[in-house]
Amino acid sequence: MNTDKNFLIKRSFLDGINRELIISDTFLKFQNKDLKKNPFTIFEKEEIAEYKYGIRWISFRITYGRDYQIFVRNKKGEILKINFKSYFGKNKKEYHQKYIDILNVLWNNFFDEIAQDFLKKFKNNESFKIGNVEFDEVGITIAISGIAKTKKTKISWENVRTKNYYTYFAIYSSQNPSEINRGYNYHDDWNTGVLYSVLRTILKSKNIETY
C-alpha cells in the first residue's frame, strides 16, 4: 500500500512560509531552507537510520505553547529537524493530530522496515545493537549509569521486563528492578520507538510479556 503523504508545516508565527514536507515510500523531503533555488533537504530511504521525537513546552514564568519536534538522522550523521509550534492553545488539536500523522507515516514508510530487519537478525541468531542496547540469543545488555562510571549489565531473556510511559520506555530486570533498570526517552534517545517495537515483539514471541 502506498502511504506517501504531503504536509504543510508552519514552524511558528515568526516564519511566514508554509513549508512542504513530503514523506514518500522512497524518500523524505522537507522545505527547511530559505533558499529560492533549492529549499529542500532530501533523505533517500536507504540513507535513513534513526529518529526521535517529542513535545516541548514553551514557557516564560507560565506555559504558553507547545513545540512539536521530530528529528531524523541519516547514516552520515546528518539531522533533519521537523518542528512546528502552537501558542496559547491555538490550533492545538490540529497540530497535535498533524504530529501524530507524521510519526505514523514515518513509521510505516521507514522505521517499521528497520525494526523488521532487526527482528530478522534476531531470528537468525545474529547479535545487534539498537542505540546502546545489545541483543543476542541469551538476552540483552544495557548500560546503567552509576556515580563513578557507566556499567554494562546483562539481563537474560526470562528476566527482561519493560514498561512504557508517555515520554520514555523503561527496561528492567525482574530479579532486581530497583538497581537493574534503564529508561530511554523518545525525545532524547535515538530510535527508542524502534527499540520499543523490536524488544516487545521478541518478549511477546517468548510469552514473557503480553500487550
Side-chain angles (χ1 to χ4, degrees):
M1 183 177 66
N2 191 316
T3 54
D4 292 8
K5 188 78 173 180
N6 288 34
F7 299 90
L8 288 178
I9 305 293
K10 188 172 177 63
R11 296 191 293 197
S12 74
F13 66 84
L14 297 174
D15 187 357
I17 303 173
N18 277 318
R19 299 176 182 274
E20 190 175 8
L21 170 65
I22 304 168
I23 309 175
S24 164
D25 55 2
T26 57
F27 64 85
L28 171 63
K29 183 177 180 180
F30 185 43
Q31 187 182 352
N32 63 326
K33 305 171 189 174
D34 294 329
L35 303 174
K36 290 184 179 180
K37 287 188 177 181
N38 185 21
F40 289 91
T41 293
I42 302 174
F43 285 179
E44 300 295 338
K45 180 175 183 175
E46 59 270 17
E47 294 181 282
I48 293 173
E50 300 172 301
Y51 78 140
K52 59 183 182 177
Y53 53 89
I55 302 170
R56 286 292 180 259
W57 302 109
I58 305 170
S59 60
F60 179 73
R61 296 183 180 175
I62 63 167
T63 298
Y64 61 90
R66 298 180 178 190
D67 187 2
Y68 298 88
Q69 301 180 346
I70 301 169
F71 303 84
V72 180
R73 184 159 68 179
N74 66 16
K75 294 174 182 177
K76 298 177 184 177
E78 299 167 334
I79 297 172
L80 176 60
K81 180 181 179 180
I82 303 162
N83 78 301
F84 43 95
K85 300 174 183 178
S86 168
Y87 299 97
F88 302 105
K90 185 178 180 181
N91 300 320
K92 183 175 71 174
K93 289 184 178 180
E94 175 192 340
Y95 281 18
H96 189 81
Q97 188 58 54
K98 182 180 291 188
Y99 169 74
I100 296 299
D101 289 345
I102 292 170
L103 287 175
N104 285 339
V105 180
L106 286 172
W107 179 262
N108 291 334
N109 286 22
F110 308 125
F111 294 101
D112 179 55
E113 188 171 319
I114 289 172
Q116 293 304 319
D117 287 342
F118 283 125
L119 289 169
K120 287 175 186 175
K121 288 183 178 181
F122 182 77
K123 188 176 181 180
N124 293 330
N125 296 322
E126 298 178 43
S127 299
F128 59 91
K129 289 179 67 176
I130 303 176
N132 64 5
V133 181
E134 301 172 17
F135 289 70
D136 60 33
E137 297 175 68
V138 179
I140 62 171
T141 300
I142 61 174
I144 301 174
S145 298
I147 297 174
K149 61 180 181 178
T150 298
K151 179 183 177 182
K152 285 190 173 184
T153 302
K154 185 88 170 188
I155 309 174
S156 60
W157 282 118
E158 64 269 20
N159 296 319
V160 176
R161 299 292 185 274
T162 67
K163 193 162 185 180
N164 193 48
Y165 300 88
Y166 184 69
T167 59
Y168 70 97
F169 177 59
I171 301 172
Y172 62 95
S173 168
S174 61
Q175 289 187 315
N176 189 1
S178 62
E179 293 187 13
I180 304 176
N181 66 81
R182 173 70 190 269
Y184 300 87
N185 190 288
Y186 288 102
H187 182 272
D188 298 332
D189 298 307
W190 291 102
N191 267 356
T192 298
V194 174
L195 174 65
Y196 168 98
S197 178
V198 171
L199 183 53
R200 285 199 153 183
T201 299
I202 293 171
L203 292 176
K204 186 176 181 180
S205 72
K206 291 178 174 291
N207 295 315
I208 295 170
E209 289 189 340
T210 58
Y211 313 102

